[in-house]
């Protein structure tokens, strides 16, 4: 089954085709990130206008690449490739920015209706976790194969706006374990980047790069001095809180001691604090629920220190770690197609397609599956 997925929840316009939920045939991502860097944050109206501009070219390019992947003759009208070779359309219905979501949702509905295909609504947050179900053709690494993902699994979602732990009993059978009471881990990385003058928007990766440079510069190895707190690490539940950590960084950066530290070391210390908390609570959940598998997703799962720490802890615990290749950690439509294949409860066709709507405040447990 070949699913064409569309993702437009924020500042990326993405389309992809995935076969049977595991084989990526093509993927296209356009981003308006650079516009939001200039304003120091996403302006919803600007993001939505960019979605409008990009949606047709992105889907068209995706279908052109599908034709190439399938070895079919190029068509004057790429839609013919879609009509002939696509079995269903999937789309992110939320959460996200309403103006951005609506563009993808209405485009997907129109294609499904015009081509006479079913439409599968997808929850973006659940989608992130399904980046692990794709076979990584580039590295031919098996850890991404569905065969190794066994249920019950614990899912850790760490994105720009969410930090959640869920118990995945099976496809579509999820239970909420816990999550952040305030800010997400990604938000804490991003605001630290801003306070340190590294980037005004989505600077998590730059914090991570600075931390890595600092570690590389320490010939005799490096150990955290615990400059920052590990919020709720010993709370005995599965809640997180990162807003106090943001405040701690802000106080530190404006305080007297800041001059004694390099930017790299501050980044390293912040990264250690976030990773320690995420890893400790996640592994507790894995233990409590007897999960044989940890499934990680969301932009922050691209973080090298988090990947290393979870790999070490999972190895010790005899648990399989499933973490996507870095290119699939941030927003794209590949994992939306995979999530759609494995969670078809919300599938609609014919006139019922009209009843699918964008929902900007969809929570991780609000089922589009
Ligand atoms: O999942 P995502 O692409 O968008 C949302 O759905 O929110 O996540 C974006 C988040 C941002 O906070 C970004 O700074 C963070 O992921 N991020 C990272 C890294 N790469 C992306 N945070 C830490 N280290 C990274 N390497
Ligand atoms: Zn995302």
């Amino acid at each position: 089954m070949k699913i064409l997925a569309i993702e437009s929840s924020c500042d990326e316009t993405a389309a992809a085709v995935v076969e049977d939920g595991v084989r990526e045939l093509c993927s296209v991502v356009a981003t308006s990130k650079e516009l939001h860097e200039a304003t120091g944050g996403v302006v919803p109206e600007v993001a939505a206008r960019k979605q409008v501009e990009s949606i047709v070219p992105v889907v068209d390019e995706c279908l052109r690449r599908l034709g190439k992947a399938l070895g079919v003759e190029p068509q004057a009208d790429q839609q013919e490739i879609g009509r002939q070779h696509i079995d269903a359309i999937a789309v992110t219905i939320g959460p996200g920015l309403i103006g951005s979501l609506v563009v993808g949702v209405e485009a997907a509905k129109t294609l499904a209706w015009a081509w006479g295909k079913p439409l599968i609504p997808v929850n973006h947050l659940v989608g992130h976790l399904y980046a692990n179900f794709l076979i990584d053709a580039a590295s031919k690494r098996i850890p991404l194969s569905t065969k190794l993902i066994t249920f019950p699994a614990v899912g850790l979602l760490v994105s720009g706006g969410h930090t959640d732990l869920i118990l995945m009993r099976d496809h579509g059978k999820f239970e909420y374990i816990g999550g952040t009471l305030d800010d997400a881990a990604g938000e804490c990385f991003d605001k630290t980047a801003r306070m340190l003058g590294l980037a005004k928007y989505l600077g998590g990766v730059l914090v991570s790069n600075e931390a890595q440079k600092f570690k590389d510069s320490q010939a005799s190895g490096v150990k955290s001095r615990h400059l920052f707190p590990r919020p709720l690490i010993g709370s005995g539940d599965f809640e997180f809180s990162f807003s106090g950590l943001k405040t701690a960084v802000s106080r530190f950066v404006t305080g007297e001691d800041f001059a004694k530290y390099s930017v790299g070391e501050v980044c390293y210390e912040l990264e250690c604090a976030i990773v320690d908390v995420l890893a400790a609570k996640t592994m507790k959940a894995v233990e409590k629920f007897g999960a044989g598998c940890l499934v990680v997703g969301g932009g922050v799962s691209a973080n090298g220190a988090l990947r290393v720490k979870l790999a070490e802890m999972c190895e010790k615990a005899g648990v399989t770690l499933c973490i996507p290749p870095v290119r699939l950690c941030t927003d794209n439509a590949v994992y939306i197609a995979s999530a759609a294949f494995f969670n078809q409860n919300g599938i609609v066709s014919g006139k019922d397609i009209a009843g699918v709507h964008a929902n900007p405040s969809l929570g991780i447990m609000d089922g589009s599956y």
Side-chain angles (χ1 to χ4, degrees):
M1 181 183 196
K2 294 186 197 71
I3 296 181
L4 166 67
I6 294 178
E7 151 66 42
S8 72
S9 60
C10 187
D11 54 0
E12 264 97 24
T13 315
V17 179
V18 172
E19 189 168 32
D20 296 336
V22 297
R23 268 181 304 282
E24 174 185 336
L25 298 179
C26 55
S27 168
V28 180
V29 182
T31 179
S32 58
K33 185 172 183 263
E34 68 289 350
L35 294 178
H36 315 303
E37 267 157 9
T39 47
V42 62
V43 177
E45 163 90 13
V46 173
R49 282 173 187 269
K50 269 316 225 190
Q51 294 285 359
V52 171
E53 271 176 40
S54 305
I55 190 76
V56 170
V58 163
V59 173
D60 190 62
E61 175 61 16
C62 181
L63 292 172
R64 196 189 62 76
R65 290 188 197 179
L66 174 66
K68 213 169 160 208
L70 297 176
V72 298
E73 287 297 311
Q75 307 272 334
D77 174 6
Q78 308 300 348
Q79 290 208 38
E80 206 39 49
I81 295 176
R83 233 181 246 119
Q84 281 178 26
H85 299 280
I86 294 296
D87 300 299
I89 316 278
V91 67
T92 299
I93 58 158
L97 302 171
I98 184 66
S100 290
L101 284 166
V102 160
V103 176
V105 169
E106 296 309 313
K109 282 162 73 175
T110 307
L111 284 178
W113 178 72
W115 293 352
K117 312 282 176 183
L119 180 71
I120 309 172
V122 176
N123 182 323
H124 179 87
L125 306 175
V126 173
H128 266 300
L129 297 173
Y130 276 80
N132 289 292
F133 286 79
L134 289 135
I135 294 163
D136 187 5
S139 69
K140 299 214 168 52
R141 276 194 313 140
I142 307 284
L144 303 174
S145 148
T146 42
K147 282 187 210 120
L148 282 187
I149 298 184
T150 52
F151 296 112
V154 162
L156 169 66
L157 170 73
V158 270
S159 68
H162 294 82
T163 304
D164 289 311
L165 280 168
I166 62 165
L167 179 62
M168 304 169 78
R169 290 205 184 275
D170 203 339
H171 296 297
K173 290 207 179 91
F174 306 148
E175 288 165 33
Y176 189 70
I177 298 175
T180 184
L181 300 171
D182 39 58
D183 290 330
E187 157 79 8
C188 194
F189 269 113
D190 292 340
K191 287 292 147 46
T192 299
R194 184 191 286 226
M195 287 185 262
L196 293 174
L198 297 173
K200 285 201 246 166
Y201 180 59
L202 295 189
V205 65
L206 300 177
V207 171
S208 174
N209 291 348
E210 289 298 319
Q212 188 58 48
K213 276 191 243 161
F214 171 73
K215 283 186 269 182
D216 292 344
S217 71
Q218 303 297 298
S220 54
V222 62
K223 212 167 167 243
S224 171
R225 298 201 229 180
H226 283 241
L227 214 55
F228 300 120
R230 270 67 173 158
L232 299 184
I233 197 161
S235 63
D237 55 25
F238 297 105
E239 287 173 344
F240 298 92
S241 167
F242 292 104
S243 78
L245 187 51
K246 246 169 54 178
T247 310
V249 175
S250 161
R251 286 223 181 96
F252 184 81
V253 168
T254 51
E256 282 173 13
D257 285 345
F258 183 43
K260 298 180 202 153
Y261 292 81
S262 66
V263 164
E265 186 164 9
V266 177
C267 290
Y268 166 72
E269 288 290 344
L270 184 271
E271 187 176 73
C272 286
I274 293 177
V275 168
D276 279 356
V277 176
L278 289 175
K281 295 226 154 175
T282 301
M283 295 313 293
K284 261 214 159 94
V286 167
E287 192 190 331
K288 177 172 176 186
F289 294 99
C293 208
L294 170 62
V295 178
V296 190
V300 180
S301 55
N303 182 270
L306 180 65
R307 297 169 82 92
V308 168
K309 180 110 183 176
L310 290 176
E312 283 169 4
M313 292 176 90
C314 282
E315 194 177 349
K316 235 190 216 165
V319 167
T320 304
L321 173 65
C322 301
I323 196 157
V326 169
R327 74 179 185 92
L328 291 183
C329 289
T330 45
D331 291 349
N332 63 80
V334 177
Y335 59 68
I336 299 300
S338 177
F341 177 80
F342 290 108
N343 300 276
Q344 295 185 21
N345 291 0
I347 195 165
V348 287
S349 53
K351 282 190 180 151
D352 292 341
I353 288 169
V356 173
H357 297 294
N359 180 354
S361 51
L362 201 70
I364 192 161
M365 296 309 298
D366 294 335
S368 60
Y369 37 83

